[in-house]
Each structure stands twice: as structure tokens, then as C-alpha cells.
Amino acid sequence: MKKACVIGAGFGGLALAIRLQSSGIATTLIEARDKVGGRAYSWQREGFTFDAGPTVVTDPECLRELWKLSGHDIADDVTLMPVMPFYRLNWTDGVTFDYSNDEGSLRREIARVAPGDLAGYEEFERYAAGVWQEGYVKLGHEAFLDFSSMIKAAPAMMRYQAWRSVYSMVSHYVKDEHLRQALSFHTLLVGGNPMSTSAIYALIHKLEKDGGVWWTKGGTNKLAQGMANLFERLGGTLRVGDKVRQVHTIGDQVTEVECESGWRERFDAVASNGDLMHTYASLLGDTVRGKEMARSLTKKSFSPSLFVVHFGLEGTWPGIPHHTILFGPRYKGLLDDIFEHGVLPRDFSIYLHHPTVTDPSMAPPGKSTFYALVPVAHMGKLPIDWAEVGPVLEQRVIREVGRRLIPDIEDRIVTRFHYAPPDFEADLGAWKGNAFSLSPILTQSAFFRGHNRDDKLKNLYLVGAGTHPGAGIPGVVGSAKATAKLMLEDLR
Ligand SMILES: Cc1cc2nc3c(=O)[nH]c(=O)nc-3n(C[C@H](O)[C@H](O)[C@H](O)COP(=O)(O)OP(=O)(O)OC[C@H]3O[C@@H](n4cnc5c(N)ncnc54)[C@H](O)[C@@H]3O)c2cc1C
């Protein structure tokens, strides 16, 4: 029986390990932290459950597929709950917009906020369906290992003007600034600036419309745990709390994986779900290939980081939806500050996560769990002392949520803490504290992203946000499908 090792139990690593084990490869999944999930880590504090990262689950079918591979049902391990509306968008001029896939309500919302843009929206919708078909259905699960694969994709990219940004394409179809923001902000969920991320990412609109927006009962951490349960039930070996220190090589082959505990083992194939820079600079740091790749990665553009304030409140808010975007007074200017100038702006847009409105089990009775997330530049662009700035920013974010939605927020706080760029670096080995790996720009997409199989080390593979198609749960689960296909062909 062939043996494979997957380093890192983020969603990409978990999905790959399930695929390999389901296909009869004896798979060992190694996770550095004390539990699986990666960016979907979680904390329990004073009876509240706080999910660290992803909260919007889209394309549930790509998850169901992982259970179906071995004749299982996702419902055995995970309860998916629909979220409606998908998002409430709220601007400083008092305009709100409830965004969903309920055709009637969506059209009513557009007619209310941007009456002149209904026809333009319909055209945008057709555009989004087209890029979804080309970019997600046809190419979202394929490895781009050589330039010829890029050439094959070129006609579709030309047809859909992939060189334009999402915001530019949306603006081509609709004129109202609120609607432009409503149809373009989604790239922020995968670490992309709507002003520079390829218009291909408009496919998220179609992905959400068809598949819906879902929540995992108990938190997104339960989805990761459910995947780990499935993997172990299939006979896979899970090692948690043991960081991989080194991947050993001989010639153009990886041979052994060595952990900090001293445990080491030989494998026929090794895949890394860790940060790209960590994989090459640390795990392969004393090889020529590791050094070469680490050097080339320093020239790449990495996504920004995030500052997330977690808080548990006394009381419940049935009127605050599960997902709210509190836009700030500036859109492009704010994005430029974060993505281009690397400054800490005075204003901010906040994504407010309120899981208890869908799932009261996330907090003790009569209490509510929230997180408020603001994108911030990564530490390479914004080298500030987060130990000093963090508490000040935490207070400003709480005050802004109070000003916009919960006036007596300060009196209701039971527990609060924040997660800042250095935490991404310390906990996940994320280069410069990036939250979403490489920026999702055209020049870092497909063939230009991390390859699912290394070009020189023949049995080294990559999976997760740094590889094609990129960040986000459906993205990394798609990358696992592409990587698994290569590994299974090579191991046969
Ligand atoms: C705050 C936040 C909110 C988000 N919201 C959403 C959302 O709503 N919807 C959505 O779809 N996406 C969202 N995303 C993006 C999404 O969470 C990520 O793109 C995705 O989870 C990344 O998965 P991954 O497979 O790349 O691995 P990661 O989650 O990065 O996990 C990698 C794992 O590898 C482990 N590892 C690294 N090095 C080693 C080593 N040497 N030895 C052993 N283990 C190692 C790490 O500990 C980690 O567990 C969000 C991200 C963040 C940060």
C-alpha cells in the first residue's frame, strides 16, 4: 500500500487527506496546532464559542462530494444551516441593502436602492454565470502545471476580459455606487482588492446564488472537525500538536517527514498545506529547491492581513443578521490605504459576524457571540507594534459597532479579545501575517500561482490557498481535488 503524508489540517489539507484515504492511499495528516481547521480554528471562552476565521460557507456540494467518495453522508458529521439574508450591507449615509439569492427580494432591493440598474444587474448576472462556468466549473479543480495549460484557458480569459478588475467590470454594468460596492466586495473574502482582483472573481456571485450561503451548526470549526472524523473513520492517521520541522530529500525526491517531537517517517509522496513561504523556506530550507523558491516568493504580492475583534455580549439581537458589512465613508480610498499604501486608516469598513442569530448554541442562553473584522495591511507593508496598537484598534472597532448598531455595547461585554497580524504569523506560519496567502491577482492566478505539484521535487505537492484556484473554502477544497488527481496518477 502506498503511503502519503499531508502536512497541515486546514480545509485544503483535510480535503486532500480524505480524497487520498478514500482512494486507498495510507495517509497520515499532521497538524502543528492542538486541533484541526487551520484558519478555521476556534476558542471557547466563558461559554461562548468563537470561530477564528471562515463564517460564510458556499458551494456545499464541494463538501458533500468528500463524504460521497466513500459512500458516506455529510449529515453524519455536520449540520448545515441556511443563512438568509446572505449579507446586510450598511452604508454611512443610512442606505441598507439585503443581499440574497431570493430572486424576488434581490430585485426589490435593487429597485429600491438603484432603480436604474435592474437591467444592468441582469447583464452582470449573465457575465457572472459565464465566468463561473469557465473559471470554476471547468478549471477550478484542474492543476495548471505548465504554460500550455494557461494558453488553453486564454480564449475564455480574453472573452471575459479577465485583465479588468471586478469593480471595473461591475461598474461597466451598473451605475449606482452602493450597488457597485454590493456586487464587488466579495473578493475581500478571499483577500483580494476589488479594484485590482481579476473580474473572473465575479464568479462568486453565481456561486452564492446557486449554492446559497450556509452555516455549520456549532461553528465552522465543526466542519473541520467533521472532516477529520470522516478521515479517521476511513482509516487515516491524524497527528495533531506535532509541527513538521523538516521534509528530507534525496536528489529530486522527498523521502521523510520529521516532526518537532522527533517522530519521523518515510512516505512515497508528501503534500504541504502550510504557508508557501513556510514550506519552502523552513521545511525545505536547507535544499537548493527550498532556497530557490523562497527567493522567488519574496517577489510575490501577498494578501493583506486581518484584525479581528471577538466579543461575547449580554443580550440577544434578532434584528442584526448573521453577516453585516458596515461600509465606511470611503471605498476605493480605504482599499488603497490597506492594499497599496500600507497605512492604518482612521476610518474602516467592518464585517460583523453574528452567529448566535442563526445558531444560539454559540453562546450561553440569553447571550450573543460576535466578531468584527477589519482588513489591515500585512506586516511587510505595515511594520507597526501590534502589541501597542492592537488594544487601541480593538477599542475603536468596538466603539464603531456600538455607534452603528449597539449603543450600549460597552456595558454588555462579557468577554473580548482580538487576533492581529502577528498571530497569523505565530500560529499559522503565515508569511508577514497574511490572511489569504498570495494576492488573487491575474498575474498570480492559475499557472502563476503555487503549483499543485512542485516543478523539481517530483513527489512533493502543494494544496490550499497558495495554489490554484486560491483562498476560500471552495477554493482550497477545489485545490485538494486538483492535487489529489495528480497524486493518485503518480502513485498508481
Ligand atoms: C478571518 C478569516 C475569515 C475568513 N472568512 C472566510 C469565509 O467566510 N468563507 C470562506 O470561504 N473563506 C474565508 N476565509 C478564507 C479561508 O478561511 C481560507 O482561505 C482557508 O481556510 C485556508 O485553508 P488552507 O487549506 O489554505 O489552510 P490553512 O487554514 O491555512 O491551514 C494550514 C494548516 O497547516 C498547518 N501547518 C502549517 N505549517 C505546519 C507544519 N510545519 N507542520 C504541521 N502543520 C502545519 C497550520 O497549523 C494550519 O492548520 C477567511 C479567512 C480568515 C483568516
Side-chain angles (χ1 to χ4, degrees):
M1 197 174 184
K2 292 283 173 68
K3 282 169 56 181
C5 175
V6 179
I7 302 168
F11 282 121
L14 283 161
L16 176 60
I18 291 169
R19 284 188 175 275
L20 295 174
Q21 190 66 38
S22 301
S23 303
I25 305 294
T27 307
T28 301
L29 174 61
I30 308 177
E31 170 52 48
R33 300 174 87 182
D34 62 345
K35 54 188 174 205
V36 300
R39 278 154 168 89
Y41 195 78
S42 66
W43 302 274
Q44 295 285 335
R45 301 228 173 151
E46 301 188 39
F48 295 87
T49 303
F50 294 104
D51 267 326
T55 59
V56 180
V57 176
T58 51
D59 191 14
E61 203 42 49
C62 76
L63 299 168
R64 289 192 191 108
E65 197 178 304
L66 297 171
W67 271 262
K68 283 186 194 158
L69 288 171
S70 54
H72 289 88
D73 184 348
I74 191 172
D76 298 342
D77 294 287
V78 175
T79 307
L80 287 170
M81 306 168 78
V83 175
M84 194 58 80
F86 292 174
Y87 312 92
R88 174 161 300 158
L89 312 179
N90 176 295
W91 286 270
T92 48
D93 59 6
V95 173
T96 60
F97 183 94
D98 277 2
Y99 183 94
S100 73
N101 64 347
D102 180 287
E103 217 44 60
S105 3
L106 185 60
R107 270 153 213 281
R108 273 193 300 281
E109 286 295 271
I110 295 173
R112 185 175 61 76
V113 170
D117 276 333
L118 254 176
Y121 167 72
E122 280 165 11
E123 278 185 56
F124 169 72
E125 206 182 2
R126 279 194 288 280
Y127 172 83
V131 280
W132 170 80
Q133 184 62 32
E134 291 294 336
Y136 191 76
V137 178
K138 285 197 193 158
L139 300 173
H141 318 113
E142 295 297 326
F144 283 76
L145 295 180
D146 50 39
F147 195 66
S148 64
S149 53
M150 203 69 190
I151 291 172
K152 275 188 219 139
M157 287 163 72
M158 297 294 282
R159 194 161 61 250
Y160 288 102
Q161 303 181 41
W163 64 88
R164 289 178 72 168
S165 74
V166 174
Y167 183 82
S168 150
M169 194 52 84
V170 166
S171 301
H172 170 72
Y173 292 114
V174 302
K175 304 288 167 252
D176 180 85
E177 183 53 27
H178 298 104
L179 194 57
R180 285 178 171 180
Q181 294 181 18
L183 296 175
S184 66
F185 81 90
H186 295 79
T187 61
L188 290 165
L189 299 178
V190 291
N193 181 351
M195 301 292 162
S196 55
T197 301
S198 166
I200 291 174
Y201 278 82
L203 66 83
I204 299 175
H205 182 72
K206 172 74 171 165
L207 198 69
E208 290 185 344
K209 253 197 139 165
D210 284 6
V213 164
W214 299 82
W215 170 251
T216 317
K217 187 162 171 46
T220 313
N221 66 91
K222 292 283 192 247
L223 175 57
Q225 191 52 55
M227 289 167 76
N229 293 348
L230 170 65
F231 171 66
E232 289 197 288
R233 205 182 306 132
L234 293 170
T237 305
L238 177 63
R239 277 184 84 81
V240 290
D242 199 6
K243 187 172 181 176
V244 173
R245 179 177 27 213
Q246 200 178 346
V247 174
H248 294 273
T249 61
I250 296 178
D252 62 1
Q253 298 279 323
V254 301
T255 51
E256 278 181 282
V257 171
E258 182 182 345
C259 287
E260 287 191 340
S261 65
W263 178 92
R264 59 192 283 172
E265 197 160 313
R266 290 188 83 83
F267 290 98
D268 299 299
V270 175
S272 177
N273 181 219
D275 183 85
L276 283 182
M277 185 64 98
H278 170 67
T279 299
Y280 284 107
S282 303
L283 305 185
L284 289 154
D286 58 1
T287 65
V288 173
R289 180 61 178 160
K291 288 189 175 71
E292 171 190 57
M293 280 301 288
R295 254 195 321 276
S296 95
L297 284 167
T298 55
K299 297 183 197 122
K300 299 271 186 185
S301 157
F302 280 80
S303 71
S305 192
L306 298 170
F307 184 81
V308 189
V309 183
H310 297 270
F311 50 99
L313 298 186
E314 188 69 55
T316 56
W317 283 267
I320 299 182
H322 194 135
H323 305 293
T324 304
I325 311 284
L326 298 169
F327 286 103
R330 300 181 301 152
Y331 191 57
K332 181 172 185 313
L334 182 63
L335 293 167
D336 284 347
D337 279 354
I338 297 162
F339 285 84
E340 311 301 332
H341 308 147
V343 297
L344 191 62
R346 296 178 71 84
D347 53 337
F348 29 60
S349 284
I350 297 174
Y351 157 56
L352 185 69
H353 174 229
H354 177 207
T356 29
V357 76
T358 306
D359 178 4
S361 76
M362 296 292 287
K367 298 188 172 62
S368 300
T369 299
F370 286 92
Y371 89 40
L373 173 158
V374 294
V376 291
H378 65 58
M379 295 190 293
K381 282 194 174 150
L382 182 64
I384 55 174
D385 180 358
W386 278 100
E388 206 177 293
V389 173
V392 179
L393 187 57
E394 175 183 309
Q395 188 55 31
R396 284 180 54 211
V397 170
I398 294 263
R399 213 174 290 142
E400 181 67 3
V401 174
R403 196 178 69 76
R404 306 266 297 256
L405 290 176
I406 308 170
D408 56 351
I409 191 167
E410 303 264 6
D411 303 332
R412 292 177 172 273
I413 291 176
V414 179
T415 182
R416 64 192 255 185
F417 62 99
H418 65 257
Y419 199 79
D423 299 313
F424 283 93
E425 188 177 53
D427 293 342
L428 294 153
W431 172 245
K432 311 275 188 203
N434 76 74
F436 304 91
S437 192
L438 296 173
S439 309
I441 48 178
L442 194 59
T443 50
Q444 295 189 162
S445 294
F447 173 70
F448 303 114
R449 218 168 168 80
H451 289 180
N452 301 68
R453 181 177 56 214
D454 184 75
D455 294 350
K456 301 219 170 125
L457 294 168
K458 294 200 165 84
N459 56 346
L460 174 72
Y461 304 82
L462 300 170
V463 66
T467 61
H468 173 72
I473 299 172
V476 301
V477 168
S479 85
K481 193 168 180 177
T483 304
K485 196 167 152 202
L486 290 172
M487 290 180 80
L488 292 172
E489 278 166 14
D490 293 350
L491 287 168
R492 205 161 282 145

